[in-house]
C-alpha cells in the first residue's frame, strides 16, 4: 500500500491496566505512570518530549499545570478539550505540529478516577455547576441526561431507517466477545463487579433493564477508572524507536450541534471522516480495523455510517450476524479490545482507540486480525443528540 | 439536604433573558432574521445564518410535532429521580424551531409516545418564569 502521508507516527502506547483504583491513586498519577510506560515502550525519555497535549480532564494538575506536574518543558502546548474525542483531536494536532517542524516528540495522556469517585456520568441529571449561559438555560430544566441524548438519536434512527433493538445489540455482543479474549477487560469487568463476566447474546441485551428507551443497560458503556498515554513522533525519531511506527495518514475534525431541522442521525463524523480519508488517500472499506467510540451501541451504529463503512441508515443490516468480529473474515473488525462497552470507559475513552489501533498494526492485539495494515479511530465526545465533537484518525503501517 | 426542585434558568443571562421573561405570560417566543428570514433558536443576539443583528421576536402558536423522544428511567438528580419515568423529547414547532422539552399527560408513555406525534405547549409556572412543556394535541 502506498502511504501518502508520513509526517508523524504513534511510536509509544500504554493502557493503564487497572479499572478500579479504589481511591488510592489520582488522575494525575495515572497520567504520569502511563506516560512513563508509553515513553519506555517507544524507547524515549521524558526529556525527549517537546510537545504536550492535554484535555484538562483531571482538574488542578492538568491543562496548564500538567507540564509542571510532569517536570518537562515542551515548546508546543495544546489543551484542546473535546470530551471523549479529545485524543483524536490531539493526534490530529500532533501530526500537524510535527509536520510543520515545531516538535519531534508529542505526548498525550489521560487519567480518570470516575469509578472511585462514583460519578454517575450517564445518569447524573443536568450538568452540574453554576453560572448562567444560554446553553444551560435552554437545556437543564427537562432532565436531559447524557444517556438520554444518545437515546434520542437511537429512537430517531429506528423511526427513520427501521433499525431494531436487536441490531443495536449486535454491537454489544461483538465487543463483549472481543473483551472476553482480553485479560485486562475480563479483569475490568470482574473488578467492576459485572453480574455476568461472559459472552452475551442479543437476547441478553434486549431483555435487560431499560435505562432510557430504547437503550438497555448493555447498550451502555461501563464507568471505570483508568487512563493511558500515547507518544507520537517525527519520522526521524520513529526510525529509532522500539516498535514499528503506526503512521498517522490522515486526520479530520468537526463539531455537531442541535440546529433547527437538523437530522440528528448524522454526527460530526460525516464531516471529519471524509477529510481524514482524503488526506490518507485510502477508503473506509480498505480498513482492517474500526475503532469506533462506543459510549453506547447507537454511537457505533451512527459512526460506522458516518465514517463511511456503509450508507446512512444501513448500519442495522451492516452489523448483523457477527460481521464485525475480528475473525469474521470481513472488514472491518470493531473495537477489538472490548471497547467502552466491555473493557474500559473512564469517561473519555478516545485515547484507547489510538492505543488498540496501534496494537493491531503492530500485531499485538488479543483479538488480532492477521496482517492488519490499516485502521481508523473515530472519537466522539459530548452528547451525540446535541452538542458533540468528532475527530477521525486514519493509521497505517509500513 | 439536596435541592429536590426542578432546575430552572438563571439570570443575568443576556441571550435568553427575553425568552424567559415572556414565558411568565405563557408566550413561547422565537426569533426571525429581518435580513434573511431565517428562524433563530435558541435565542441569540445575531442571526446564525447571515450574522445580522436585526432580529424580530415572534410568539409561537405553541404547536408542533415530536421529532424524537426517549423515556428516561434512571436519573440520579434529586428532582428528576422523583419524576422517572418521564418523556424527554425534541419538539419541532410549526414555525421551524426545535426545543428540548418533556411530553406530559400520557397514561403509558411506553405505549402512547410516537415520533411525529402532534403536541401543544402546556405551561408549568415557577413565579418569574414558566416552563414550556408539551401535551398531546
Amino acid at each position: 500500500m502506498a502511504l501518502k502521508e508520513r509526517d508523524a507516527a504513534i511510536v509509544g502506547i500504554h493502557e493503564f491496566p487497572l479499572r478500579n483504583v479504589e481511591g488510592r491513586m489520582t488522575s494525575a498519577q495515572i497520567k504520569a505512570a502511563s506516560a512513563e510506560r508509553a515513553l519506555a515502550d517507544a524507547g524515549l525519555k521524558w526529556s525527549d518530549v517537546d510537545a504536550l497535549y492535554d484535555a484538562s480532564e483531571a482538574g488542578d494538575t492538568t491543562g496548564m499545570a500538567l507540564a509542571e506536574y510532569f517536570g518537562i518543558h515542551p515548546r508546543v502546548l495544546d489543551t484542546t478539550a473535546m470530551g471523549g474525542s479529545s485524543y483524536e483531536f490531539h493526534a490530529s494536532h500532533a501530526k500537524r505540529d510535527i509536520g510543520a517542524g515545531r516538535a519531534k516528540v508529542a505526548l498525550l495522556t489521560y487519567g480518570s478516577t470516575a469509578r472511585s469517585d462514583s460519578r454517575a456520568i450517564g445518569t447524573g441529571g443536568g450538568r452540574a455547576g453554576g453560572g448562567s449561559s444560554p446553553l444551560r438555560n435552554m437545556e437543564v430544566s427537562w432532565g436531559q441526561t447524557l444517556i438520554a441524548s444518545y437515546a434520542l438519536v437511537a429512537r430517531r434512527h429506528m423511526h427513520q431507517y427501521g433499525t431494531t433493538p436487536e441490531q443495536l445489540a449486535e454491537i454489544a455482543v461483538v465487543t463483549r466477545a472481543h473483551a472476553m479474549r482480553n485479560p485486562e477487560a475480563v479483569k475490568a469487568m470482574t473488578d467492576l463487579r459485572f453480574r455476568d463476566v461472559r459472552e452475551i447474546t442479543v437476547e441478553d441485551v434486549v431483555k435487560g433493564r431499560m435505562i432510557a428507551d430504547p437503550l438497555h443497560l448493555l447498550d451502555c458503556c461501563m464507568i471505570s477508572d483508568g487512563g493511558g498515554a500515547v507518544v507520537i513522533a517525527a519520522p526521524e525519531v520513529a526510525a529509532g524507536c522500539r516498535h514499528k511506527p503506526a503512521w498517522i495518514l490522515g486526520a479530520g475534525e468537526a463539531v455537531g450541534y442541535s440546529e433547527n431541522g437538523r437530522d440528528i442521525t448524522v454526527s460530526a463524523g460525516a464531516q471529519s471522516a471524509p477529510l481524514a480519508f482524503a488526506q490518507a488517500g485510502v477508503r473506509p472499506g480498505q480498513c482492517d480495523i474500526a475503532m469506533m467510540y462506543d459510549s453506547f451501541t447507537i454511537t457505533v451504529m451512527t459512526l460506522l455510517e458516518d465514517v463511511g463503512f456503509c450508507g446512512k441508515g444501513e448500519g442495522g443490516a451492516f452489523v448483523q450476524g457477527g460481521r464485525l468480529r475480528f475473525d469474521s473474515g470481513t472488514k472491518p473488525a470493531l473495537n477489538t479490545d472490548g471497547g467502552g462497552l466491555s473493557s474500559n470507559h473512564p469517561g473519555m475513552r478516545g485515547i484507547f482507540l489510538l492505543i488498540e489501533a496501534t496494537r493491531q498494526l503492530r500485531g499485538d492485539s488479543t483479538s488480532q486480525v492477521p496482517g492488519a495494515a490499516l485502521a481508523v479511530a473515530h472519537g466522539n465526545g459530548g452528547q451525540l443528540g446535541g452538542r458533540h465533537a468528532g475527530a477521525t484518525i486514519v493509521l497505517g503501517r509500513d | 439536604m439536596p435541592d429536590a426542585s426542578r432546575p430552572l434558568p438563571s439570570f443575568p443571562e443576556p441571550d435568553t433573558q427575553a425568552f424567559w421573561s415572556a414565558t411568565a405570560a405563557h408566550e413561547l417566543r422565537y426569533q426571525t432574521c429581518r435580513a434573511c428570514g431565517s428562524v433563530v433558536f435558541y435565542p441569540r443576539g445575531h442571526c446564525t445564518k447571515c450574522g445580522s443583528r436585526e432580529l424580530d421576536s415572534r410568539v409561537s402558536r405553541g404547536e408542533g410535532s415530536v421529532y424524537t423522544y426517549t423515556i428516561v428511567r434512571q436519573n440520579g438528580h434529586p428532582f428528576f429521580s422523583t419524576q422517572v419515568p418521564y418523556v424527554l423529547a425534541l419538539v419541532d414547532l410549526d414555525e421551524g424551531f426545535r426545543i428540548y422539552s418533556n411530553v406530559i399527560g400520557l397514561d403509558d408513555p411506553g405505549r402512547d409516545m410516537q415520533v411525529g406525534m402532534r403536541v401543544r405547549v402546556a405551561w408549568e409556572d415557577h413565579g418569574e418564569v414558566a416552563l414550556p412543556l408539551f401535551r398531546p394535541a
Side-chain angles (χ1 to χ4, degrees), chain A residues 10-19 25 29-42 87 107-111 184 226-232 242-243 337 344 349-356 358-359 362:
Chain A
I10 296 178
V11 295
I13 53 172
H14 181 69
E15 182 173 1
F16 189 76
L18 300 182
R19 308 293 198 267
M25 281 182 84
Q29 288 177 316
I30 294 170
K31 287 163 80 80
S34 298
E36 187 271 327
R37 295 289 301 275
L39 286 164
D41 180 62
Y87 308 94
L107 176 63
L108 288 56
T109 64
Y110 173 48
E184 285 190 9
V230 166
V231 180
I232 298 171
R242 290 180 56 231
H243 296 276
D337 58 343
N344 203 357
R349 82 175 310 270
I351 202 164
F352 307 127
L353 309 179
L354 301 173
I355 291 171
E356 175 66 8
T358 302
R359 287 195 198 106
R362 290 179 179 183

Side-chain angles (χ1 to χ4, degrees), chain A residues 118 151 201 335:
Chain A
S118 298
T201 64
N335 296 352

Side-chain angles (χ1 to χ4, degrees), chain B residues 1-5 76-79 81:
Chain B
M1 183 73 186
D3 184 5
S5 58
H77 183 277
F79 172 76
S81 65

